[in-house]
């Protein structure tokens, strides 16, 4: 491979270095472009062809449907690891020993109490508030109660901020759901596992002994692993660019939660269930909705389908589809929308419009079916996505801050009015 790329502008040739990653991805390093060309920049709406950083955390191959965290295949991690192990792997770069994992969990449990005054903020929201808006607000508010988490100039400061949010975020997730259901806000149980504790905080009834359900624990553990990181997606890029101004970790995560909320991104898992329910209510005619998805005049899209990077099956969707069958069977739940989902997927996978555009089911297509079987309200689905993505956001923010990357500030091409004289109001 040549070491450089040549760009000719107005008869002038310019050489730019090519960089190659450990998986042989090649990029043109244009750090000097504007300087050597007298101001020429690039433009790439949606950054479809533009890399924002070099990263050692997650590798995707969209053509082959490959996803690896720190070099480990998602299939192996989903099958053999726990969510807390995967969180440690993403954040610190290696799978933990038992001693390391136990210490990480102990440090997280130490920090898993949330200041009671946060409840006053939660109380101010109407019950109809969308949980993602509540979660984003409460996550940002954590900064006010944990001011030392902002200036993380030492490794110890960074570690403290990380275990604080790993401990407090699941409490905010549980409180967000319980508030909407009118249930008392409480804490979990330090004697049980991380994911076990999430479920207990979410579902413990004030008047009943809580009984663990291993099916739900295993299903949630796997779902959180599958959502844990996904390189430079919309919300992760948001966390990185907000963090690049040296805003604190919690404020950066709050911004990422807002980005994830959108129906084109993490909000798709809620939109998929609403779409499947609409199809069911409409009589189950999937062909009618396929036609709508293909009609350019119709804003309707097949939610849970398509992906910026995967032009093959999203490997996470494959795993979740199998898990959906298993969980519903284990729970003895019959969910007609699962059959509608399978019917839609089968039709889309043989439909020329979808095949030509390489539109396959993505991570959001089947996940909501499992969440619903677990008794999680549809408006909480994207909150569960955020809970899974938390360690990924943390790892990416840590990588950006540790590498002391510059503040993110893209350029533009101005296409507005040229200079014009000011006119006083009497002359307009
Ligand atoms: C996530 O980036 C990540 O990694 C995200 C994520 C993560 O883990 O962080 O994987 C999680 O966000 C998954 C995606 C969830 N979103 C959805 O399921 C919403 C539905 N999907 C689409 O809106 C769309 O596919 C996107 C947003 C996911 C990707 O959009 P792109 O890459 O900008 O592609 P595009 O909009 O340019 O579409 C290309 C073509 C267009 O048709 P033409 O103009 O070429 O004729 O495909 C069409 C689109 O109209 N198309 C769809 C479609 N998705 C794309 N047509 C119908 N239904 C769809 N779902």
């Amino acid at each position: 491979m040549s070491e450089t790329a040549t760009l000719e502008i107005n008869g002038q040739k310019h050489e730019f270095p090519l960089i190659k990653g450990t998986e042989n991805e090649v990029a043109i390093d244009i750090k000097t472009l504007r300087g050597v060309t007298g101001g020429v920049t690039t433009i790439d709406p949606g950054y479809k062809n533009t890399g924002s950083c070099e990263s050692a955390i997650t590798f995707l191959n969209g053509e082959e449907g490959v996803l690896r965290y720190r070099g480990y295949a998602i299939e192996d991690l989903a099958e053999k690891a726990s969510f807390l192990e995967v969180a440690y792997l993403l954040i610190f770069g290696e799978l933990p020993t038992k001693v390391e994992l136990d210490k990480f969990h102990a440090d997280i449990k130490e920090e898993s109490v949330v200041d009671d005054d946060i409840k006053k903020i939660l109380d101010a929201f109407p019950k109809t508030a969308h949980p993602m808006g509540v979660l984003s607000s409460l996550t940002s508010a954590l900064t006010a109660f944990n001011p030392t988490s902002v200036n993380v100039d030492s490794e110890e400061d960074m570690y403290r901020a990380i275990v604080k949010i790993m401990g407090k975020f699941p409490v905010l997730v549980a409180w967000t759901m319980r508030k909407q259901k009118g249930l008392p806000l409480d804490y979990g149980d330090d004697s049980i596992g991380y994911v076990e504790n999430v479920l207990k905080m979410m579902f413990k009834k004030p008047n009943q002994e809580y009984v663990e359900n291993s099916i739900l624990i295993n299903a949630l553990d796997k779902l959180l692993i599958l959502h844990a990181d996904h390189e430079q997606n919309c919300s992760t890029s948001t966390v990185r660019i907000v963090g690049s101004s040296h805003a604190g970790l919690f404020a950066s995560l709050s911004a990422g939660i807002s980005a994830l909320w959108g129906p084109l991104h993490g909000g798709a898992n809620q939109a998929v269930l609403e779409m499947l329910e609409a199809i069911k209510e409409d009589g189950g005619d999937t062909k009618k909705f396929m036609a709508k998805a293909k009609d350019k005049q119709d804003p309707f899209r097949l939610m849970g389908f398509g992906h910026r990077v995967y032009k093959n099956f999203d490997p996470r969707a494959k795993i979740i589809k199998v898990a959906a069958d298993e969980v519903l069977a284990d729970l003895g739940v019959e969910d007609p929308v699962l059959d509608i989902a399978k019917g839609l997927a089968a039709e889309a996978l043989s439909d020329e419009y979808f095949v030509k555009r390489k539109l396959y089911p993505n991570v959001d297509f089947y996940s909501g079916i499992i969440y619903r079987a677990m008794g999680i309200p549809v408006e909480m689905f994207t909150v569960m996505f955020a809970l899974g993505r938390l360690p990924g956001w943390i790892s990416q923010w840590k990588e950006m801050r540790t590498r002391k990357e510059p503040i993110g500030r893209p350029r533009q091409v101005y296409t507005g009015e040229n200079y014009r004289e000011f006119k006083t109001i009497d002359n307009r």
Side-chain angles (χ1 to χ4, degrees):
M1 175 187 107
S2 71
E3 299 302 310
T4 61
T6 305
L7 188 59
E8 185 171 340
I9 299 177
N10 301 331
Q12 180 90 25
K13 287 192 177 177
H14 304 277
E15 301 275 303
F16 296 95
L18 290 176
I19 62 167
K20 184 152 88 167
T22 50
E23 289 289 345
N24 299 318
E25 296 163 307
V26 174
I28 304 168
D29 178 343
I30 57 167
K31 281 198 276 293
T32 60
L33 174 66
R34 196 167 183 278
V36 301
T37 60
V40 174
T41 60
T42 62
I43 193 128
D44 184 20
Y47 310 110
K48 294 191 175 187
N49 305 281
T50 301
S52 61
C53 62
E54 295 178 49
S55 177
I57 300 170
T58 292
F59 171 68
L60 308 185
N61 178 316
E63 282 63 41
E64 292 167 25
V66 169
L67 171 57
R68 296 194 206 116
Y69 298 158
R70 300 284 189 181
Y72 293 98
I74 191 65
E75 294 80 4
D76 287 342
L77 294 171
E79 198 52 45
K80 300 166 187 163
S82 71
F83 174 62
L84 205 58
E85 272 181 289
V86 169
Y88 187 100
L89 170 67
L90 286 166
I91 296 168
F92 303 108
E94 297 295 338
L95 283 168
T97 62
K98 182 151 180 7
V99 169
E100 288 165 335
L101 185 61
D102 290 347
K103 179 181 183 309
F104 186 46
H105 195 190
D107 291 342
I108 289 170
K109 287 191 275 193
E110 266 305 300
E111 295 289 357
S112 59
V113 174
V114 170
D115 193 297
D116 223 41
D117 283 347
I118 289 265
K119 292 178 182 174
K120 292 178 186 150
I121 303 170
L122 186 52
D123 286 343
F125 282 99
K127 273 209 175 58
T128 52
H130 193 287
M132 284 296 276
V134 174
L135 184 66
S136 177
S137 307
L138 297 187
T139 302
S140 185
L142 279 179
T143 307
F145 298 92
N146 303 274
T148 58
S149 64
V150 179
N151 298 315
V152 286
D153 299 323
S154 72
E155 216 171 289
E156 179 52 27
D157 291 347
M158 175 86 74
Y159 181 77
R160 284 274 124 235
I162 289 168
V163 292
K164 276 186 196 291
I165 195 66
M166 284 295 294
K168 299 178 196 306
F169 198 74
V171 179
L172 299 184
V173 165
W175 284 5
T176 300
M177 185 175 98
R178 295 178 76 89
K179 185 73 194 166
Q180 215 179 38
K181 289 174 159 234
L183 288 169
L185 307 180
D186 60 359
Y187 284 92
D189 177 348
D190 265 2
S191 69
I192 57 180
Y194 189 85
V195 173
E196 290 85 335
N197 192 35
V198 168
L199 286 168
K200 183 168 186 178
M201 287 193 286
M202 289 175 74
F203 291 106
K204 182 175 178 300
K205 288 209 173 24
N207 60 348
Q208 287 172 13
E209 192 57 36
Y210 178 79
V211 178
E212 282 190 352
N213 179 325
S214 60
I215 298 164
L216 300 188
I217 292 165
N218 295 332
L220 183 57
D221 198 271
K222 183 173 282 193
L223 281 168
L224 295 178
I225 289 171
L226 293 169
H227 287 81
D229 194 54
H230 216 239
E231 54 128 284
Q232 305 312 316
N233 59 84
C234 178
S235 54
T236 298
S237 300
T238 303
V239 170
R240 283 184 85 120
I241 202 164
V242 169
S244 72
S245 75
H246 288 198
L249 174 57
F250 304 168
S252 306
L253 293 171
S254 172
I257 294 165
S258 298
L260 188 71
W261 191 358
L264 295 187
H265 189 16
N269 59 14
Q270 172 178 343
V272 167
L273 245 292
E274 290 162 350
M275 173 188 75
L276 294 173
E277 281 293 340
I279 294 173
K280 188 181 83 172
E281 292 314 309
D282 187 74
D285 178 3
T286 50
K287 291 203 179 334
K288 172 178 165 186
F289 284 81
M290 288 284 289
K292 281 169 62 67
K294 295 188 283 188
D295 177 359
K296 290 300 168 203
Q297 306 315 315
D298 190 329
F300 175 80
R301 283 197 155 180
L302 204 53
M303 300 314 275
F305 257 80
H307 198 277
R308 172 61 58 76
V309 174
Y310 289 124
K311 301 307 171 192
N312 194 324
F313 244 95
D314 182 333
R316 301 167 297 177
K318 279 186 186 171
I319 299 168
I320 295 177
K321 183 180 176 208
V322 171
D325 281 325
E326 289 168 354
V327 170
L328 267 62
D330 292 348
L331 292 174
V333 168
E334 286 284 315
D335 189 346
V337 296
L338 179 57
D339 299 329
I340 292 175
K342 288 179 177 175
L344 263 184
E347 277 176 50
L349 296 177
S350 58
D351 180 288
E352 195 267 336
Y353 172 96
F354 286 81
V355 171
K356 187 175 134 220
R357 291 168 179 77
K358 299 182 177 177
L359 303 175
Y360 291 88
N362 59 48
V363 67
D364 294 310
F365 190 62
Y366 295 106
S367 54
I369 289 161
I370 300 180
Y371 290 139
R372 182 154 85 164
M374 295 172 69
I376 294 172
V378 67
E379 278 205 336
M380 282 291 294
F381 288 2
T382 313
V383 167
M384 302 313 289
F385 192 144
L387 183 63
R389 187 51 53 90
L390 179 66
W393 285 333
I394 292 170
S395 66
Q396 300 270 352
W397 187 91
K398 178 171 178 281
E399 181 178 74
M400 177 276 302
R401 283 298 301 271
T402 310
R403 289 183 179 177
K404 300 192 183 334
E405 290 185 2
I407 187 168
R409 201 269 184 227
R411 305 297 305 225
Q412 63 162 27
V413 172
Y414 177 70
T415 56
E417 295 283 345
N418 298 114
Y419 176 75
R420 43 186 177 162
E421 292 284 341
F422 180 80
K423 285 193 191 116
T424 59
I425 194 157
D426 304 331
N427 295 315
R428 287 175 204 156

